Amino acid sequence: MARRPDNNKSGPARFAALVRSSIPPMHPAGLPFVGGSLAIAAFGYRNRWLRRVGVASALANAAFFRHPPRVPPSRPGVVVAPADGLICLIQDAIPPTELGLPATPLPRVSIFLSVLDAHVQRAPVGGEVVAVSHRPGKFHSAELEAASELNERNSVVIRTPEGAQVIAVQIAGLVARRIVCDAKVGDKLAIGETYGLIRYGSRLDTYLPAGSNLLVTVGQRAVGGETVLAEVGPDDTGRTAQA
């Protein structure tokens, strides 16, 4: 018989544990926004309108910067979604030119994040970060196909222990104007590990090794760190990217 979580707790301790498991924690990047909103509420505590605006803003930011725990698959050779959102495009495309990789089209899965999605980014595979490159650009709607080429972006290349390379590209959107990437060259990331965040609406492109077996379709919703995008094929590039 399955055991219920926190079954060994009772009373207030059990209630607190249930709350923690139901309400996701907040990413540290959201603390200044929530703190600032609460400061506005406190400053305007005599003004009902200002107080309500401050509290509402704090709740909205806490929800936006939520950082829900995820359990990635344990089977080898899979690539998971680097973010929550809608799979809006699947096609072959040349990786970002700033990475210095060969101009050979690779399978690419694009995920659109609305303002209602969790905006943390997670490593699509476990391995070593071999390149990180940021490129300034436009702020067109992230839903447009051209956003992959024209918008501001940050690319992270991860090489698995088996030698396959997977590229995760954070792309700014119409409202998103800030890309946060904590990954650095030489870092070792576990599959599903959080490495970055984009504020307020964006897109994530994942470039897969040639020969990968795609397991998702356009229109499907992805859960970052858990939804399997593909199984890595035997024909990976095995080439080192240049940041």
Side-chain angles (χ1 to χ4, degrees):
M1 179 178 176
R3 176 175 170 274
R4 292 182 62 183
D6 305 304
N7 202 39
N8 59 334
K9 297 180 180 180
S10 61
R14 183 174 184 181
F15 178 76
L18 289 173
V19 170
R20 284 195 300 270
S21 65
S22 301
I23 301 177
M26 184 176 64
H27 191 280
L31 291 175
F33 296 90
V34 174
S37 299
L38 292 177
I40 291 175
F43 178 78
Y45 74 99
R46 293 182 182 276
N47 184 307
R48 181 189 303 176
W49 181 86
L50 196 60
R51 185 172 67 249
R52 287 180 175 177
V53 168
V55 171
S57 176
L59 292 174
N61 277 288
F64 177 83
F65 285 100
R66 65 191 183 278
H67 188 190
R70 297 286 163 76
V71 181
S74 58
R75 72 181 190 270
V78 299
V79 180
V80 298
D84 292 10
L86 183 72
I87 296 175
C88 61
L89 192 66
I90 298 176
Q91 63 180 180
D92 288 349
I94 296 174
T97 55
E98 61 269 21
L99 291 172
L101 290 169
T104 303
L106 297 173
R108 183 178 72 188
V109 179
S110 299
I111 299 175
F112 173 73
L113 293 75
S114 76
V115 293
L116 299 179
D117 289 308
H119 270 58
V120 293
Q121 278 81 63
R122 305 170 191 269
V125 291
E128 181 181 359
V129 177
V130 297
V132 178
S133 182
H134 178 268
R135 195 206 70 171
K138 305 295 184 180
F139 297 97
H140 298 303
S141 173
E143 292 180 277
L144 300 176
E145 182 177 343
S148 293
E149 301 298 329
L150 301 178
N151 284 20
E152 179 173 341
R153 66 192 182 204
N154 188 81
S155 304
V156 175
V157 184
I158 304 173
R159 181 185 296 147
T160 70
E162 295 74 28
Q165 288 189 166
V166 174
I167 307 167
V169 185
Q170 299 165 287
I171 301 173
L174 185 64
V175 182
R177 299 299 174 108
R178 179 77 170 102
I179 296 175
V180 178
C181 178
D182 298 321
K184 300 177 179 61
V185 174
D187 287 352
K188 300 293 192 345
L189 298 177
I191 185 171
E193 181 178 349
T194 300
Y195 75 88
L197 177 143
I198 312 177
R199 291 207 291 259
Y200 308 122
S202 49
R203 176 168 163 178
L204 256 291
D205 283 353
T206 305
Y207 292 82
L208 306 163
S212 297
N213 178 28
L214 287 167
L215 300 175
V216 290
T217 59
V218 172
Q220 179 179 341
R221 287 203 61 84
V223 178
E226 293 187 351
T227 298
V228 176
L229 299 182
E231 295 172 334
V232 175
D235 184 22
D236 62 75
T237 61
R239 300 182 180 91
T240 301
Q242 301 296 322

